[in-house]
C-alpha cells in the first residue's frame, strides 16, 4: 500500500503554506479554526483529482474556486501542492499548480510526476500538458507511460475517509445492500457489507479487525452480519455481539465504538 510521507501545500483555504513530514500515524491537535479540517479536506480534494472529478469538488463541495484559494483569488490567484508517496521500492512525487479561472473554477497550470527507485538518487520527471480542467493522469494515453502509471497507481490507492457522521440518520447505521463490498466507502456507509466480504474472502484481515476492536472495546466479541436485516432480503445492517452473548443493533452502538469499527476496517 502507498504511504504519503510528505505534503507541501500553498494557498489552500486558510493555509498560506504548510510543509508536513508524515509518519504511519499522525495526530492533528489545534485550536478551533486553526486549519485542521482544511488540511484534511485537501486529501479529499486529491481523491477527486484522482477520479477526474476536481470540478465536482470545487463547485459542489466547496461552493466555487474562490473559497478554496487563500484569502481569495485577488490575493492568491493560484494554489499548489507537492505530494510524496512511497510504494514498495518506489518513491513517487505528484505536484501541480492550479490557477483561478473567470468562471470560478480551477484550471491546471502545470502538473508534474516524478518516479524513482528508493535506492537511487535520480529518477524520471514527466511534465503533463497544462491548461486542463482535470488531471491529465486520468488520460489513458498518459497513464500508458510506465513512470506516470506508477504515480497514478499510488494516488489511486491512497484514499481519504472521514467517519464523523454517526447520527441516527447516517448511512453507517442504516440498512444497506448486502452485496459483498470490495471497497469501504469514504463515510463507512457500507461497513456491514464490507465486513461480510472480508469474513467470506479474507478471513485473516477480518480477524485482525476483530482483534483490534476487542483490544479497544473489551466487551466486544464479534460482528453479527447476515443477509436479511430486519427481515428484508438483500439488505444488511451492522450489529455486534458482546462477550456475554447479548446482541446490539447499529442504532444501539455508541458513536465512539462505531467510529472505531470503521477506522479498524
Amino acid at each position: 500500500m502507498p504511504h504519503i510521507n510528505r505534503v507541501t501545500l500553498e494557498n489552500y483555504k486558510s493555509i498560506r503554506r504548510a510543509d508536513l513530514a508524515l509518519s504511519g500515524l499522525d495526530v492533528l491537535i489545534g485550536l478551533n479554526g486553526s486549519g485542521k479540517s482544511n488540511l484534511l479536506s485537501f486529501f479529499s480534494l486529491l481523491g477527486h483529482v484522482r477520479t477526474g472529478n476536481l470540478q465536482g469538488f470545487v463547485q459542489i463541495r466547496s461552493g466555487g474556486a474562490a473559497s478554496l484559494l487563500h484569502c481569495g483569488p485577488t490575493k492568491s490567484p493560484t494554489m499548489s501542492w507537492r505530494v510524496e508517496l512511497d510504494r514498495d521500492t518506489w518513491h513517487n512525487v505528484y505536484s501541480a499548480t492550479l490557477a483561478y479561472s473567470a468562471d470560478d473554477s480551477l484550471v491546471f497550470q502545470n502538473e508534474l510526476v516524478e518516479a524513482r527507485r528508493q535506492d537511487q538518487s535520480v529518477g524520471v520527471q514527466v511534465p503533463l500538458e497544462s491548461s486542463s480542467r482535470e488531471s491529465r493522469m486520468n488520460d489513458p494515453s498518459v497513464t500508458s507511460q510506465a513512470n506516470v502509471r506508477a504515480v497514478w497507481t499510488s494516488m489511486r490507492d491512497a484514499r481519504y475517509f472521514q467517519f464523523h457522521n454517526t447520527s441516527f440518520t447516517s448511512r453507517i447505521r442504516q440498512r444497506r445492500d448486502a452485496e459483498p463490498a470490495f471497497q469501504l466507502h469514504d463515510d463507512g456507509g457500507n461497513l456491514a457489507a464490507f465486513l461480510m466480504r472480508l469474513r467470506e474472502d479474507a478471513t485473516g484481515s477480518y480477524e485482525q479487525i476483530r482483534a483490534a476492536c476487542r483490544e479497544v472495546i473489551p466487551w466486544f466479541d464479534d460482528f453479527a452480519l447476515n443477509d436479511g436485516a430486519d427481515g428484508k432480503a438483500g439488505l444488511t445492517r451492522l450489529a455486534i455481539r458482546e462477550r456475554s452473548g447479548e446482541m446490539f443493533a447499529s442504532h444501539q452502538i455508541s458513536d465512539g465504538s462505531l467510529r472505531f469499527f470503521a477506522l479498524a476496517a
Side-chain angles (χ1 to χ4, degrees):
M1 292 297 291
H3 168 221
I4 297 177
N5 55 36
R6 194 174 201 91
V7 173
T8 305
L9 182 60
E10 292 187 0
N11 293 334
Y12 178 70
K13 292 190 173 183
S14 64
I15 302 169
R16 174 65 185 89
R17 190 178 193 279
D19 186 0
L20 301 173
L22 302 175
S23 65
L25 176 64
D26 300 277
V27 179
L28 298 179
I29 300 174
L31 298 173
N32 289 338
S34 60
K36 302 184 300 295
S37 296
N38 286 344
L39 176 61
L40 292 175
S41 75
F42 169 69
F43 293 100
S44 181
L45 180 151
L46 277 183
H48 284 75
V49 169
R50 173 185 58 81
T51 57
N53 190 32
L54 170 64
Q55 300 308 321
F57 179 89
V58 171
Q59 301 299 333
I60 298 174
R61 294 204 173 192
S62 306
S67 65
L68 292 174
L69 294 166
H70 180 68
C71 296
T74 301
K75 183 173 181 178
S76 303
T78 64
M79 62 174 289
S80 62
W81 66 72
R82 176 183 170 91
V83 179
E84 300 182 28
L85 311 94
D86 286 338
R87 184 189 181 102
D88 301 326
T89 60
W90 286 91
H91 179 74
N92 302 313
V93 178
Y94 173 50
S95 56
T97 299
L98 281 68
Y100 183 76
S101 177
D103 61 353
D104 200 26
S105 64
L106 290 174
V107 176
F108 281 89
Q109 197 173 69
N110 58 65
E111 196 174 12
L112 179 71
V113 298
E114 305 173 47
R116 65 171 172 82
R117 293 193 178 275
Q118 293 180 10
D119 59 354
Q120 297 176 344
S121 58
V122 179
V124 177
Q125 294 187 346
V126 182
L128 307 182
E129 180 184 340
S130 58
S131 301
S132 59
R133 294 169 61 87
E134 299 291 345
S135 171
R136 291 279 291 152
M137 283 204 300
N138 293 291
D139 186 332
S141 66
V142 174
T143 54
S144 63
Q145 302 176 57
N147 294 304
V148 177
R149 186 167 60 251
V151 177
W152 186 89
T153 301
S154 295
M155 290 287 296
R156 180 197 65 193
D157 293 340
R159 299 183 57 217
Y160 173 81
F161 299 89
Q162 191 171 40
F163 306 125
H164 68 288
N165 184 9
T166 52
S167 66
F168 75 96
T169 60
S170 62
R171 288 170 13 106
I172 199 171
R173 292 190 187 272
Q174 304 304 310
R175 289 191 297 266
R176 307 296 300 170
D177 190 339
E179 187 70 22
F182 290 90
Q183 283 194 327
L184 182 65
H185 292 169
D186 59 3
D187 64 350
N190 66 337
L191 178 60
F194 183 67
L195 288 170
M196 285 178 64
R197 181 247 167 174
L198 292 180
R199 187 181 62 185
E200 295 169 5
D201 300 333
T203 305
S205 296
Y206 179 84
E207 290 301 328
Q208 280 186 314
I209 294 169
R210 184 183 173 204
C213 293
R214 293 182 72 176
E215 183 174 352
V216 172
I217 306 168
W219 47 261
F220 171 81
D221 180 52
D222 201 357
F223 299 100
L225 308 165
N226 63 303
D227 186 339
D230 305 331
K232 297 183 179 293
L235 297 175
T236 187
R237 189 204 295 262
L238 185 69
I240 60 173
R241 183 178 65 242
E242 282 192 343
R243 296 192 185 214
S244 65
E246 191 170 357
M247 304 287 290
F248 289 90
S250 60
H251 65 278
Q252 299 172 298
I253 303 173
S254 72
D255 290 338
S257 296
L258 201 57
R259 290 172 184 139
F260 186 80
F261 294 149
L263 182 63

